[in-house]
Amino acid sequence: MGRRNRHQKNQRDRNGNTRDRDGSGWGAGYSEIIKENKLFEQYYREQKIVPEGEFEHFMETLREPLPATFRITGYKSHAKEILHCLKKYFKEVQDIEIDGQKIEAPQALSWYPDELAWHTNMSRKIIRKSPLLEKFHQFLVSETESGNISRQEAVSMIPPLLLKIEPHHKILDMCAAPGSKTAQLIEMLHSDMDVPFPEGFVIANDVDNKRCYLLVHQAKRLNSPCIMVINHDASNIPRFQVDCDGKKDILFYDRILCDVPCSGDGTMRKNIDVWKKWTTSNSLQLHGLQLRIAVRGVEQLAVGGRMVYSTCSLNPVEDEAVIASLLEKSEGALELADASADLPGLKWMPGITSWKVMTRTGEWYSDWSEVPVSRHTQIRPTMFPPTDREKLKEMKLERCMRILPHHQNTGGFFVAVLVKKAAMPWNRRYPKVEELKRPCLTAATDAGSADLESASVDPELGECPQEATSGKDGVCGPPPSKKMKLFGFKEDPFVFLAEDDPVFAPIQNFYNLSPSFPKPCVLTRTHEGKKRHLYMVSKELRNVLLNNSERMKVINTGVKVWSRNNDGEQFGCAFRLAQEGIYTLFPYIGARIVNVSVEDIKVLLTQENPYLNKLESDAYAQAKKLGRSSWPCQGAPETENPSMPQCPIELCGWRGKTSIRAFVPRNERLHYLRMVGVEVFQSKQGKGPEPAVEGEPVAAVPEDSGEMEAKWLLPWDRELFVPGEPYVAESSWDVRHLLTP
């Protein structure tokens, strides 16, 4: 039997060539996916989401590859410097021809503020493989790794912009992985870099434990003390408590991003599998989950707060149907905001007010009354538009925004902005209790609203957040809450330093920390033994952590500010500064600071252990006074020289007996070197570094390949280095997948 099957599989054609049953030769690889789906075309023609006469153009655009888009991180003070470098690279790639295709210089997205987002017709394959674009590719990889550039689809950048975030906002990202939108939220929170600890914070949640770690990679690149990553089901995310004046209160959010799981038919241009897998059953199965997540979101939203609901689907069952059902359930507590003027330059179509539901087999239903009983488990009443025309008009569904791919050469997307005006009706039956002061809660407009935003009663359960106890005369109260089940990897604990912890006193004295330093916000990840690393979080996140340890699973939070160095104990302090937290920590440090020039920065970043006398006279005199230990340095902006950095550069390192070195990860070194005018391009052809401008100095930075020498790695990275194998310090999966060779 097996012998005959093998004989049939290895048939030969008339020329004697072996072929398989599909008629393609061995080694032909996977057959190309045909970008056709008749059911898809039939469905969207009938729904009329595309203007008349544009459907063919719509379909043609879906079959074309998606342009590459990337965003400069906007919260760092270095954003303008990165933009300056980018424009220099863009001039070099302008009007290049590759394989007969003319490469156009990248263009700024017209609707994104401050020219911080760009798109290009260069495919990832061309960027990775073309020698002419090699320098541009290395720049993108390096800056992405150091957190200064994020590769992100254009339409994915829209929801955070519509949230209108301010530094004091408490923000919840309900379905956050892989984290590109979360990164935007963090950037907006840190819009004022002079404030190391904004009042607000971002809690980023995802139900998938493994995807949470990808989310951590994205967030960690931004080195913010105001981000916490948690692992919960978004449709049932716990309601957290905060402490205010010694009293437990419920945490409500000023801004919520509700980017729900969806069928993803707006991503056909980059996820071509959707062409052959698309059916209407995908949206029918997801509709209930999307609605539950959205309901849970508005329950946790403060009165006066904004929630953005978004999907990368064009299907009204996942879009307008969810919004209409949510508005109907709210009984006037929610309204759709008019965001038409928020992003000038963005082209979008208004939401529709009439749609139909189609089964997988092609049967259409216009109303719930038409659905046979046998299909009631698959099709639900909330999937249809409201039958009351007056109520439908009051919803103003035309304020929803649908982005069609052919209008601005993007992916497909749907977004709606909801504003909470009052309590949700299912929360109003509970008695209102004493009002509290605004700082304890959120930026809600009125703490006296009926939503119990200022209540000590949980609006969901009608009970006090504290553990339930038996009532008078033996009458039982609500049952005690069950212990939360944790799945996935078991995380190390988050332990805040005690007021009298002996670890901190030498640090405070050694670095002469200012009295305003928030000592209670320092934490470690162990209860016992020596503390290896110290982290910092904002005081608001500390409040959340301390009051919810039993009801939340925290994957990661805080930014590393100190690391143990046993050699340092003999010199006065066992903890050295960490580059990740230097921008958070620097405003509080009052001792051991070395002020350096641009030339000093070049020396520190291009030489591994330069002698002290390599520094210029001012920096040399300052460094010589220091003992052997950790030190921070700062390069002031050179306002008189526009070609030099116009923002401060802050580094940390170690002062040895006769030398000095910077503890800066490789990609950050490349970033700072570009800022000070040093070209760091390494040719793959083995010709060595080549300056982009004649006469410009070139940094002796090795190529990021298997030939990298271990001496270029920092001491704590060397144990991960294997000679002859590729190594990228602190890389993230999505960067390697999308950008690296």
Side-chain angles (χ1 to χ4, degrees):
M1 185 72 178
R3 189 181 298 272
R4 186 168 70 243
N5 284 344
R6 285 197 299 271
H7 176 72
Q8 289 174 349
K9 287 176 69 177
N10 294 309
Q11 298 177 45
R12 295 179 179 272
D13 60 19
R14 292 180 182 178
N15 297 322
N17 297 320
T18 304
R19 56 183 176 84
D20 60 14
R21 285 181 292 184
D22 296 329
S24 59
W26 295 111
Y30 294 106
S31 58
E32 185 178 349
I33 294 177
I34 299 173
K35 297 179 180 179
E36 295 286 346
N37 189 310
K38 297 299 181 186
L39 191 65
F40 176 87
E41 292 190 38
Q42 176 192 348
Y43 184 78
Y44 281 112
R45 280 187 188 275
E46 186 68 25
Q47 298 290 17
K48 295 181 174 60
I49 65 166
V50 180
E52 191 174 348
E54 296 183 15
F55 195 83
E56 294 304 323
H57 187 197
F58 166 75
M59 292 302 301
E60 288 171 8
T61 305
L62 284 176
R63 295 185 181 99
E64 295 172 358
L66 189 67
T69 51
F70 52 88
R71 179 175 51 80
I72 302 169
T73 55
Y75 89 83
K76 290 189 176 180
S77 57
H78 300 163
K80 291 182 179 179
E81 305 298 327
I82 295 294
L83 183 58
H84 178 73
C85 289
L86 263 179
K87 289 182 176 179
K88 184 181 73 173
Y89 281 101
F90 292 163
K91 289 180 181 178
E92 296 179 10
V93 303
Q94 195 166 9
D95 299 328
I96 291 178
E97 281 198 17
I98 299 175
D99 297 332
Q101 179 185 356
K102 186 176 180 181
I103 304 300
E104 298 176 1
Q107 302 292 322
L109 294 178
S110 60
W111 46 267
Y112 201 96
D114 303 323
E115 291 188 315
L116 293 179
W118 294 73
H119 69 103
T120 173
N121 69 338
M122 290 182 281
S123 68
R124 285 177 288 179
K125 181 178 179 181
I126 289 176
I127 294 176
R128 287 197 300 259
K129 302 301 182 185
S130 171
L132 297 172
L133 300 172
E134 191 176 337
K135 190 186 299 185
F136 181 51
H137 173 243
Q138 287 187 19
F139 170 79
L140 287 179
V141 172
S142 172
E143 295 297 341
T144 301
E145 287 288 341
S146 57
N148 299 303
I149 286 178
S150 288
R151 191 186 184 282
Q152 183 178 355
E153 191 176 344
V155 291
S156 172
M157 305 175 192
I158 296 172
L161 294 175
L162 295 179
L163 280 172
K164 296 185 176 180
I165 289 169
E166 297 177 16
H168 64 273
H169 283 157
K170 280 72 175 171
I171 307 162
L172 172 65
D173 190 350
M174 301 188 74
C175 309
S180 56
K181 298 183 188 69
T182 307
Q184 269 183 283
L185 301 176
I186 299 170
E187 294 164 23
M188 295 172 182
L189 205 62
H190 287 270
S191 57
D192 185 357
M193 279 299 291
D194 293 330
V195 181
F197 289 99
E199 290 182 29
F201 56 76
V202 177
I203 294 180
N205 173 70
D206 202 84
V207 67
D208 189 316
N209 183 260
K210 291 180 180 179
R211 282 167 61 87
C212 282
Y213 293 94
L214 177 57
L215 177 57
V216 169
H217 271 292
Q218 283 274 34
K220 278 291 185 183
R221 294 185 298 134
L222 296 172
N223 299 327
S224 170
C226 303
I227 171 70
M228 180 192 294
V229 177
I230 62 174
N231 180 203
H232 291 277
D233 177 0
S235 65
N236 195 29
I237 191 169
R239 177 157 285 171
F240 300 134
Q241 303 169 16
V242 289
D243 185 82
C244 184
D245 299 331
K247 180 179 175 183
K248 300 287 187 186
D249 287 290
I250 298 165
L251 172 65
F252 288 86
Y253 301 94
D254 302 294
R255 299 290 186 266
I256 293 180
L257 177 56
C258 185
D259 186 52
V260 295
C262 64
S263 60
D265 57 19
T267 68
M268 280 180 158
R269 300 182 68 180
K270 65 175 183 179
N271 298 324
I272 57 176
D273 275 358
V274 178
W275 282 99
K276 64 178 182 179
K277 294 180 179 178
W278 187 92
T279 69
T280 54
S281 60
N282 296 336
S283 57
L284 299 181
Q285 292 165 3
L286 286 166
H287 171 85
L289 174 64
Q290 292 163 340
L291 182 56
R292 290 196 302 275
I293 293 174
V295 167
R296 190 58 178 157
V298 295
E299 285 177 345
Q300 302 213 22
L301 185 65
V303 169
R306 291 166 75 95
M307 184 178 91
V308 168
Y309 175 89
S310 62
T311 74
C312 49
S313 169
L314 300 173
N315 198 327
V317 173
E318 302 177 65
D319 299 339
E320 284 91 347
V322 173
I323 296 299
S325 180
L326 196 59
L327 292 171
E328 192 168 16
K329 289 175 182 289
S330 75
E331 298 178 6
L334 298 172
E335 75 170 5
L336 273 171
D338 184 1
S340 58
D342 291 350
L343 296 177
L346 178 66
K347 295 180 181 178
W348 52 275
M349 295 298 297
I352 59 177
T353 57
S354 175
W355 62 89
K356 300 178 183 179
V357 176
M358 187 175 78
T359 65
R360 184 172 186 170
T361 54
E363 298 166 319
W364 289 95
Y365 302 105
S366 300
D367 187 80
W368 168 247
S369 60
E370 301 174 2
V371 182
V373 176
S374 60
R375 292 197 178 274
H376 279 190
T377 56
Q378 305 166 28
I379 301 175
R380 303 301 302 154
T382 54
M383 297 177 182
F384 296 91
T387 53
D388 187 332
R389 306 310 296 177
E390 192 61 34
K391 185 183 293 185
L392 182 62
K393 185 178 179 181
E394 290 175 358
M395 289 181 179
K396 300 178 181 176
L397 291 179
E398 64 277 1
R399 290 184 173 178
C400 298
M401 305 167 72
R402 179 177 278 105
I403 291 87
L404 298 179
H406 65 292
H407 283 168
Q408 286 182 304
N409 198 16
T410 64
F413 207 72
F414 175 87
V415 63
V417 182
L418 294 158
V419 175
K420 189 170 183 179
K421 299 168 61 181
M424 302 308 293
W426 51 89
N427 291 340
R428 293 175 186 160
R429 63 181 179 271
Y430 302 115
K432 180 185 170 185
V433 296
E434 182 184 0
E435 294 181 5
L436 297 170
K437 296 179 182 178
R438 177 195 171 281
C440 303
L441 297 167
T442 65
T445 53
D446 182 8
S449 67
D451 195 29
L452 300 182
E453 265 72 359
S454 56
S456 294
V457 175
D458 190 323
E460 294 176 274
L461 306 175
E463 62 185 70
C464 186
Q466 282 86 356
E467 194 167 318
T469 55
S470 297
K472 295 180 180 180
D473 303 323
V475 178
C476 292
S481 57
K482 295 180 180 178
K483 188 174 181 180
M484 184 181 66
K485 293 182 179 180
L486 299 179
F487 300 94
F489 302 106
K490 184 178 180 181
E491 289 295 324
D492 293 331
F494 295 85
V495 184
F496 287 94
L497 296 188
E499 193 68 30
D500 56 349
D501 196 305
V503 166
F504 194 74
I507 296 175
Q508 189 162 17
N509 295 330
F510 189 76
Y511 294 103
N512 189 24
L513 299 180
S514 70
S516 61
F517 179 78
K519 178 183 173 182
C521 297
V522 179
L523 61 85
T524 185
R525 299 295 302 271
T526 179
H527 281 292
E528 301 174 353
K530 283 190 174 182
K531 299 171 175 63
R532 293 182 57 199
H533 305 292
L534 299 180
Y535 305 84
M536 286 191 72
V537 296
S538 65
K539 63 179 181 180
E540 288 78 12
L541 273 186
R542 178 182 184 273
N543 194 347
V544 176
L545 269 171
L546 289 176
N547 288 286
N548 298 280
S549 58
E550 296 299 321
R551 57 168 55 195
M552 68 191 302
K553 181 179 180 182
V554 181
I555 301 297
N556 198 280
T557 190
V559 59
K560 184 165 65 177
V561 289
W562 284 290
S563 291
R564 178 176 289 277
N565 181 7
N566 292 328
D567 292 339
E569 289 191 43
Q570 57 184 311
F571 305 120
C573 184
F575 285 86
R576 64 169 180 82
L577 298 166
Q579 181 66 27
E580 297 97 310
I582 192 64
Y583 283 93
T584 299
L585 206 55
F586 202 90
Y588 301 104
I589 298 176
R592 306 187 61 77
I593 297 174
V594 177
N595 295 306
V596 294
S597 67
V598 168
E599 293 304 316
D600 294 328
I601 292 173
K602 292 178 182 178
V603 170
L604 290 169
L605 297 180
T606 57
Q607 300 181 33
E608 186 178 5
N609 283 302
Y611 288 110
L612 290 174
N613 58 15
K614 291 287 187 73
L615 301 177
E616 293 189 342
S617 57
D618 288 347
Y620 173 73
Q622 297 172 62
K624 199 171 181 181
K625 295 178 183 177
L626 301 178
R628 295 168 63 180
S629 59
S630 185
W631 57 274
C633 73
Q634 183 179 54
E638 295 198 8
T639 54
E640 297 178 359
N641 186 355
S643 64
M644 287 293 106
Q646 301 301 302
C647 60
I649 295 178
E650 293 164 1
L651 309 174
C652 66
W654 184 266
R655 198 274 207 201
K657 184 176 181 180
T658 59
S659 63
I660 195 165
R661 71 172 299 175
F663 281 164
V664 182
R666 179 179 182 274
N667 284 306
E668 278 196 55
R669 287 186 180 228
L670 302 183
H671 163 67
Y672 290 126
L673 286 170
R674 288 190 189 97
M675 286 179 61
V676 297
V678 178
E679 183 54 67
V680 290
F681 171 62
Q682 175 73 38
S683 171
K684 291 182 181 177
Q685 279 71 32
K687 297 178 182 178
E690 298 177 3
V693 180
E694 191 173 349
E696 199 173 44
V698 179
V701 180
E703 180 184 357
D704 186 7
S705 70
E707 298 177 2
M708 178 190 288
E709 296 178 21
K711 70 179 183 180
W712 277 96
L713 300 178
L714 299 178
W716 49 89
D717 284 333
R718 287 178 184 166
E719 61 187 29
L720 303 176
F721 174 74
V722 180
E725 294 186 8
Y727 179 87
V728 181
E730 300 182 1
S731 61
S732 60
W733 176 89
D734 61 324
V735 174
R736 293 199 304 271
H737 177 65
L738 298 173
L739 293 175
T740 54

